[in-house]
Amino acid sequence: MSDPSSINGGCAVAMVGKDCIAIACDLRLGNQSLSLANNFEKVFPFGDKTFLGLTGLASDVLTLKEDFRLKHNLYKLREEREIEPETLANLVSSSLYERRFGPYFVGPIVAGLHSKTNKPFICGFDLIGCIDFAKDFIVSGTASDQLYGMCESLYEPDLEPEDLFETISQALLNAVDRDALSGWGAVVYIVTKDKVVKRVLRTRQD
Amino acid sequence: MDIILGVRLQDCTLVATSKAATRGISVLKANDDKTRILNTHNLLAYTGEAGDTVQFAEYIQANIQLYLMRENDTELSPKATALFVRNQLATSLRSRKPYQVNVLIGGYDTKTDVPALSWIDYLGTHVELPYAAHGYAAFYCSSLFDRHYRKDMDLEAGLDLLRMCVKELEMRMPIDFKGVYVKVVGKDGVRAIEL
């Protein structure tokens, strides 16, 4: 009921394909059972081919989005290059663990391609920054149980970008329809070595 | 059970707040204004814990006005104002005694000529919305807004929409909230209006 990570609702998912990755989220922002907005994106770009998904308490999602934007900008100035997904993952992890005994109530996921090698990378975290490396898919948010179910049954390795889009979209859409706190639209990013495609999906509006 | 409503119209933003100040079962006051003017084009409406609300609203008001003096009369935009308020609430949330205040910020951006409405709760959740309400009023008014709101509504159409909401609230709310004060935030600043 007053669990901070399920007050606002929302979820995100990332998948690895053949030389590509996909990351997606729903668009709902609510206050308990009352839906407030259907344009609340939970996936944020960091450079060209790296993305961070943040689910959980909306206040912390906003705070961390800005915090990582600041840290990403400082990183770019210091290093004069874009941040790698692995590096962002470690940055997220250490930033969250700094708040070990008063955590941000979020479930972050990172997905991206290495800037030089284009090797796909995805990972997830718990709220205090423990990294969960995965080679197939990562789920997060109030529909995470449903997403696990959908991903386990739909996912197959080495999908081409178009097929990966279909898989992640179906997984997300069917998962959020079984969660009262998620849905109200969705956004999917498909990232390949020379192109990022963002698609906004229409979903059930109830 | 205070009521605050906000509607973003074609060329202004409407904010309505209940006149009753209640404590437990008693109505203590029937002419309570739950708004503060932050600067010429930004209005803050608030509900929440009795002592915190006015304290927080006036703290924000003072800081926005301090900014105005320091920055050579440069006004903070509605977006910047809302982000400042959100930041204060989000910081306060992790302090020893957080402010329990929920706010709506009605604004008008003079640079782009666009009205704005922000919904911010005590957790620091911030969303820009076409229409918004806090507390129980949201349950009764959201469906009315969903059905009757059009983004190209003029002032009179907006007031009609608010009248529908107030009528519904008078019917459904368990206590008399003594009507509402309505404020318009538009190109020429903030002005009060009779519903």
Side-chain angles (χ1 to χ4, degrees), chain B residues 51-126:
Chain B
D52 288 1
T53 48
V54 176
Q55 191 73 24
F56 180 75
E58 291 185 355
Y59 169 74
I60 295 296
Q61 186 185 33
N63 274 106
I64 298 285
Q65 289 181 1
L66 175 65
Y67 181 92
L68 203 68
M69 292 170 205
R70 277 189 177 155
E71 300 300 317
N72 204 220
D73 289 344
T74 315
E75 252 188 19
L76 229 43
S77 69
K79 187 155 200 171
T81 309
L83 288 177
F84 173 71
V85 175
R86 188 206 94 79
N87 204 239
Q88 289 297 320
L89 285 167
T91 312
S92 158
L93 185 68
R94 286 189 160 77
S95 69
R96 195 181 57 80
K97 191 169 180 300
Y99 283 114
Q100 287 181 41
V101 185
N102 304 313
V103 305
L104 291 181
I105 298 173
Y108 186 86
D109 195 328
T110 45
K111 291 244 165 56
T112 55
D113 277 329
V114 173
L117 176 67
S118 282
W119 183 100
I120 306 173
D121 72 0
Y122 75 101
L123 298 167
T125 316
H126 169 227

Side-chain angles (χ1 to χ4, degrees), chain A residues 7-8 29 31 33-34 36-37 39-40 57-60 62-63 99 102-105, chain B residues 86-87 90 93-94 119 121-129 131 133 135 138-139 142:
Chain A
I7 292 172
N8 304 118
L29 179 126
N31 195 201
S33 64
L34 182 76
L36 291 170
N39 57 0
F40 193 79
L57 189 69
S59 176
D60 289 345
L62 295 169
T63 306
R99 294 271 178 277
Y104 290 115
F105 297 98
Chain B
R86 188 206 94 79
N87 204 239
L93 185 68
R94 286 189 160 77
W119 183 100
D121 72 0
Y122 75 101
L123 298 167
T125 316
H126 169 227
V127 257
E128 285 191 25
L129 296 169
Y131 45 80
F139 291 105
S142 297

Side-chain angles (χ1 to χ4, degrees), chain A:
Chain A
M1 187 20 200
S2 66
D3 169 23
S5 56
S6 57
I7 292 172
N8 304 118
C11 60
V13 55
M15 281 182 183
V16 174
K18 190 169 194 312
D19 304 317
C20 62
I21 56 105
I23 183 165
C25 66
D26 72 333
L27 289 176
R28 183 180 179 271
L29 179 126
N31 195 201
Q32 311 268 43
S33 64
L34 182 76
S35 296
L36 291 170
N38 56 3
N39 57 0
F40 193 79
E41 293 191 25
K42 297 156 191 81
V43 172
F44 312 102
F46 287 86
D48 300 332
K49 291 182 281 187
T50 306
F51 291 81
L52 172 67
L54 285 165
T55 63
L57 189 69
S59 176
D60 289 345
V61 170
L62 295 169
T63 306
L64 285 177
K65 173 186 77 169
E66 289 304 313
D67 185 38
F68 288 127
R69 189 162 75 97
L70 171 75
K71 286 171 172 167
H72 176 233
N73 285 339
L74 289 172
Y75 182 92
K76 280 195 296 186
L77 289 171
R78 206 162 41 224
E79 302 278 329
E80 296 183 339
R81 64 187 168 93
E82 281 299 342
I83 197 165
E84 301 297 344
E86 286 89 341
T87 321
L88 180 67
N90 284 304
L91 176 65
V92 170
S93 177
S94 50
S95 299
L96 290 178
Y97 198 78
E98 269 183 13
R99 294 271 178 277
R100 172 61 180 82
F101 297 110
Y104 290 115
F105 297 98
V106 288
I109 58 176
V110 165
L113 300 176
H114 191 280
S115 64
K116 295 273 153 41
T117 62
N118 289 308
K119 189 170 167 282
F121 174 88
I122 58 163
C123 72
F125 310 81
D126 66 4
L127 77 168
I128 52 171
C130 176
I131 310 185
D132 169 12
F133 294 105
K135 45 188 186 314
D136 43 10
F137 53 80
I138 282 290
V139 302
S140 166
T142 53
S144 60
D145 290 0
Q146 292 89 329
L147 278 166
Y148 270 123
M150 288 312 299
C151 292
E152 289 291 6
S153 52
L154 296 187
Y155 183 81
E156 46 191 295
D158 297 322
L159 286 169
E160 295 298 328
E162 311 84 71
D163 299 327
L164 188 67
F165 166 70
E166 203 59 37
T167 307
I168 198 169
S169 302
Q170 288 301 335
L172 185 72
L173 260 32
N174 291 286
V176 298
D177 281 354
R178 283 287 175 183
D179 180 21
L181 300 179
S182 300
W184 254 32
V187 170
V188 183
Y189 289 89
I190 304 289
V191 187
T192 50
K193 73 173 164 36
D194 41 29
K195 192 162 84 213
V196 177
V197 182
K198 178 186 182 182
R199 290 193 180 91
V200 181
L201 305 182
R202 280 185 63 106
T203 69
R204 285 174 65 119
Q205 297 292 311
D206 60 359

